[in-house]
Amino acid sequence: MKRDMMDKDIQEVLFSQEQLARRVDEIAEEISRDYAGKEIMLVSVLRGSFIFMADLCRRIKVPCTVDFMAVSSYGAGTSSTGQVQITKDLSGDIAGKHLIVVEDILDSGNTLSYLLNVLEQRQPASIRLCTLLNKPERRVKPVKLHYSGFTVPDAFVVGYGLDYAERYRNLPYIGVLKPEIYGG
Ligand code: IMP
Ligand code: MG
């Protein structure tokens, strides 16, 4: 299979397909243990988390429903503005449910602190955050994190759902994008 068109834009592979699969397994185990005897609802924040969500939910062993939300964040740039807008809301009620919000990456925290606030007002029974990647160096808003896959350095990463200007989501691994691609 020829991926040269995208692979050549990657400076360094951070997590291989195998590493991602192993870590997703571990997180799913942890969630299944923590919620034994309960039913959960996974809320995926589109679009970056769609691949993580799909892999994670298949490995979770407790009864589970899924729903999706979309928020505007970056446009084609590489840092968030602090201005967050819900562009697609959940399709159903979440009152009394055990929610796990599934994100691709926790960066400044702007998106998730806003989103968690909105969801808490709808009175779920509980709410936890699960992010595949965590970039703590860039945090400007504190966010309580329960499940985290990997900590990443302050670099722009793509693949396994994460994009730059909507591209690279279909790379099966996660890598650092060459700064010259986004003019960094
Ligand atoms: P935050 O509001 O700054 O925490 O940014 C959250 C969103 O920005 C994430 O859900 C991603 O969609 C996007 N984002 C942040 N850092 C990166 C990155 O390194 N690569 C790709 N997307 C990113
Ligand atoms: Mg995202």
Side-chain angles (χ1 to χ4, degrees):
M1 185 171 27
K2 232 175 175 301
R3 284 187 190 276
D4 311 12
M5 288 288 288
M6 288 184 292
D7 288 332
K8 70 170 174 32
D9 296 344
I10 303 301
Q11 179 173 290
E12 182 195 353
V13 174
L14 291 182
F15 310 111
S16 69
Q17 221 171 326
E18 294 72 27
Q19 281 174 297
L20 288 166
R22 265 200 305 276
R23 190 67 189 115
V24 173
D25 266 343
E26 290 169 359
I27 298 170
E29 279 296 325
E30 211 181 321
I31 291 174
S32 304
R33 262 199 317 274
D34 291 353
Y35 290 87
K38 295 193 178 107
E39 175 161 333
I40 59 178
M41 180 184 211
L42 298 177
V43 171
S44 160
V45 186
L46 295 171
R47 285 175 285 245
S49 72
F50 80 108
I51 294 180
F52 177 41
M53 172 77 154
D55 283 347
L56 182 70
C57 76
R58 276 178 286 184
R59 289 167 175 80
I60 286 176
K61 292 168 187 142
V62 296
C64 162
T65 60
V66 298
D67 206 346
F68 300 87
M69 268 185 114
V71 289
S72 65
S73 58
Y74 281 3
T78 61
S79 63
S80 78
T81 54
Q83 301 267 24
V84 186
Q85 213 184 340
I86 295 177
T87 53
K88 183 212 173 300
D89 207 338
L90 296 173
S91 49
D93 196 15
I94 61 169
K97 294 186 178 166
H98 294 289
L99 244 63
I100 300 179
V101 175
V102 179
E103 245 299 29
D104 53 355
I105 184 165
L106 177 56
D107 187 27
S108 71
N110 282 324
T111 309
L112 281 165
S113 68
Y114 173 82
L115 202 65
L116 290 171
N117 208 18
V118 168
L119 294 176
E120 264 155 20
Q121 285 165 23
R122 301 180 188 176
Q123 285 156 8
S126 68
I127 181 163
R128 284 185 172 185
L129 173 62
C130 174
T131 184
L132 178 64
L133 304 178
N134 181 18
K135 215 192 265 183
E137 282 171 53
R138 301 240 312 171
R139 199 84 81 253
V140 298
K141 292 242 178 72
V143 175
K144 201 165 159 199
L145 184 53
H146 279 97
Y147 306 103
S148 171
F150 299 99
T151 299
V152 291
D154 183 9
F156 201 78
V157 298
V158 295
Y160 196 72
L162 289 102
D163 73 307
Y164 170 66
E166 295 305 324
R167 293 175 60 210
Y168 308 103
R169 293 193 196 276
N170 57 326
L171 286 176
Y173 57 85
I174 288 178
V176 176
L177 190 63
K178 287 182 180 166
E180 64 252 39
I181 303 297
Y182 56 86

